[in-house]
Amino acid sequence: MTLSLKNASKTYPDGTRALLPSNIEIETGEIVSLLGPSGCGKTTLLRIIAGLETPDDGTEVWFDKDNVTQLPVEKRKVGMVFQSYALFPNMSVSTNIAYGLKMQKRPRAEIEQRVEEVLTLCRLNPLANRAITALSGGQRQRVALARAFAPRPRLLLLDEPLSALDAALRDSLRDELSDLLRRLGITAIFVTHDQNEAMAIADRVAVMSEGRIEQIGSPEDLYRNAGSPFVAAFVGNAMCLGKVVQGNTLRLTGGELSLPDDAGGRGVYVRAEDVCIAEDGPLIGKVESVTFLGTHYRVGLSGVTDSTLYSLHSGLSAPRHGDEVKLRIAPEALMLLAEDKTYL
């Protein structure tokens, strides 16, 4: 199913604009993430799609060729997975999955057949008769997805599907969730504030800020071709080195950098993996912190810019606190972005 949102917006009675007019097109079978910080409007947008929120006049929500803007949630045929999973603890895995089908008053034989299909698809057959209370967090997540998918919804909506899990389990389940959504073959939209989760699972990511969609694209495109300082900082934690008034040289406290072209008043951004500690670097900084992260060190540096600059250092050892080091940043690694009120 394709999804089309036209001029989707939401203003509350007190005048708060939770969502500014937004447009988005999602293709059949595509997995799209709504990514952004708390209060950016991503959950409001998801609720408008689901029919749980009444949008402003002028909003249009299309499922294929059907305008569903005025349809109540129960008639939109969407599946939903919430943060808490909202499973029935007094039911088994199978009866949880069958619940939506029973509410639709499907024939018993059809319910049994569909439950068996979904159990197999979600690899839950060994757990079919187990109580929900006896499942791990990851298993509950799969049951919640299976229950949402069992009635064959037109669209699957997920609100922070991994946030209820601890950090270690969340990381291990990202790939499993991605694989499961693709095996289901359904158009899916999920809300998250975690950039790693969005980039690992989604075909495309819509980055949101202050009630609007800042940029939408593939994870690779957003990371390599950020269109604004907000997107560069939120997707990949880009750091602002400074702003060039004119010319192609950036003058910093710790030295000068050559830019790939005339900055023309734009801000200059870089990511920590592109800040290299090197003996022949043109910049000089002082080591303020060193954090060992297993595969690399995260080194905090002062004296290069007005704020702390970070470098991801992959050497077998790292410089010590207080050391003076030289830094090199390749011109092609620098991002020149137009001024943004939030980050410059």
Side-chain angles (χ1 to χ4, degrees), residues 264-303:
R266 289 173 288 176
V268 182
Y269 289 77
V270 69
R271 291 194 168 91
E273 64 264 30
D274 294 315
V275 179
C276 302
I277 297 174
E279 294 181 359
D280 59 345
L283 302 178
I284 296 176
K286 182 179 179 181
V287 176
E288 291 291 328
S289 64
V290 178
T291 305
F292 179 59
L293 298 175
T295 58
H296 59 270
Y297 296 88
R298 186 169 186 260
V299 182
L301 303 151
S302 63

Side-chain angles (χ1 to χ4, degrees), residues 2 23 29 59 83 90 104 124 126 138 144 155 165 196 201 217 245 255 273 308 311 338:
T2 60
N23 300 290
T59 297
Q83 295 180 34
N90 60 323
Q104 293 178 352
L124 289 167
L155 179 68
L165 307 173
N196 293 326
I201 296 172
V245 177
E273 64 264 30
T308 302
S311 169

Side-chain angles (χ1 to χ4, degrees), residues 181-257:
L181 287 174
R182 283 170 173 78
R183 278 191 282 113
L184 293 176
I186 189 172
T187 307
I189 305 171
F190 72 97
V191 162
T192 183
H193 63 272
D194 186 322
Q195 60 162 311
N196 293 326
E197 181 180 314
M199 296 177 75
I201 296 172
D203 298 312
R204 286 192 298 153
V205 179
V207 182
M208 299 187 66
S209 171
E210 298 182 348
R212 70 182 187 276
I213 296 175
E214 286 270 343
Q215 187 176 350
I216 183 167
S218 68
E220 295 89 345
D221 186 49
L222 291 176
Y223 194 87
R224 296 169 183 163
N225 303 295
S228 71
F230 177 84
V231 174
F234 203 82
V235 181
N237 304 310
M239 301 168 288
C240 182
L241 292 174
K243 180 180 176 181
V244 180
V245 177
Q246 60 183 6
N248 60 356
T249 300
L250 176 63
R251 292 175 175 84
L252 303 171
T253 305
E256 295 185 355
L257 278 178

Side-chain angles (χ1 to χ4, degrees), residues 10-18 53-54 56:
K10 176 64 181 180
T11 305
Y12 288 103
D14 64 357
T16 300
R17 303 192 71 185
E53 194 77 68
T54 303
D56 295 345

